[in-house]
Amino acid sequence: EKVNYSQTHCYQLQSIIKMAGTQPLTKKTIVKKRTKKFIRHQADQFKRIARSSWRKPKGIDGRVRRRFKGTIPMPSIGYGSNKKTRNVHPNGFQSVVVHNVNELEMLMMHNRTFAATIGHSVSTRGRQEIVSRAEQLAIRVTNAAAKLRAEEDA
């Protein structure tokens, strides 16, 4: 009897994909030009400034603004990420916040590019509905295990 290997191979691939979850369409290595945060000018001198985020120096004589040697670096467009890997998680997907099943179904045709992240205000029951529908549509959910209660057997 002749066995159709292509069909059995297809079933094996489907089972492997189900076990591993949805894989991204392309997995490009993400290169960050700078991983450290830009510290604000004179943040080492004042505690109140050390806690704040970057602000552009605007003084007329400012060394940082004039980009003198030995001063802290200023953010510029050259530190930008590659367009293809910008906003991409290490798992290879871009994240989309989802609050209900209808929003999840918008990702149906893009399940290899985008992963769903369930919004923090969604209830436990709503989360369960979203996770079960995502499984049917083969959509990756980044926080599928969040807010899950152990079901008590009565």
Side-chain angles (χ1 to χ4, degrees):
E1 215 172 83
K2 196 173 184 181
V3 179
N4 189 351
Y5 285 107
S6 63
Q7 199 171 15
T8 56
H9 183 69
C10 191
Y11 288 130
Q12 286 173 342
L13 279 175
Q14 284 176 344
S15 64
I16 290 168
I17 288 170
K18 274 187 183 174
M19 283 190 297
T22 311
Q23 296 302 314
L25 197 59
T26 54
K27 187 119 189 233
K28 232 183 149 193
T29 51
I30 300 166
V31 178
K32 303 275 188 199
K33 291 181 189 165
R34 183 182 166 95
T35 52
K36 289 194 290 184
K37 287 202 165 175
F38 287 97
I39 60 161
R40 191 172 167 184
H41 181 43
Q42 294 184 330
D44 55 333
Q45 295 177 12
F46 303 100
K47 273 187 178 178
R48 64 183 181 271
I49 294 177
R51 291 186 296 270
S52 67
S53 57
W54 170 258
R55 308 288 169 87
K56 184 170 171 54
K58 297 202 171 74
I60 54 170
D61 294 329
R63 292 172 302 158
V64 174
R65 182 188 60 78
R66 296 196 293 173
R67 297 197 175 99
F68 281 16
K69 266 196 286 188
T71 58
I72 59 168
M74 279 208 306
S76 63
I77 200 67
Y79 288 105
S81 298
N82 183 348
K83 245 185 199 174
K84 288 178 180 160
T85 59
R86 194 179 298 155
N87 303 320
V88 174
H89 285 259
N91 63 12
F93 289 96
Q94 289 183 331
S95 191
V96 175
V97 180
V98 165
H99 294 91
N100 55 45
V101 178
N102 290 346
E103 288 180 9
L104 180 77
E105 290 184 1
M106 289 195 297
L107 301 177
M108 191 187 316
M109 299 301 289
H110 308 288
N111 64 345
R112 305 279 306 279
T113 313
F114 295 98
T117 303
I118 302 171
H120 82 282
S121 61
V122 180
S123 66
T124 307
R125 192 180 70 188
R127 281 172 190 274
Q128 288 169 347
E129 289 171 7
I130 290 170
V131 169
S132 64
R133 184 66 178 139
E135 221 169 87
Q136 293 167 3
L137 299 173
I139 295 172
R140 172 86 65 98
V141 180
T142 56
N143 58 350
K147 280 192 183 178
L148 286 181
R149 286 182 291 180
E151 291 181 21
E152 296 173 27
D153 296 323

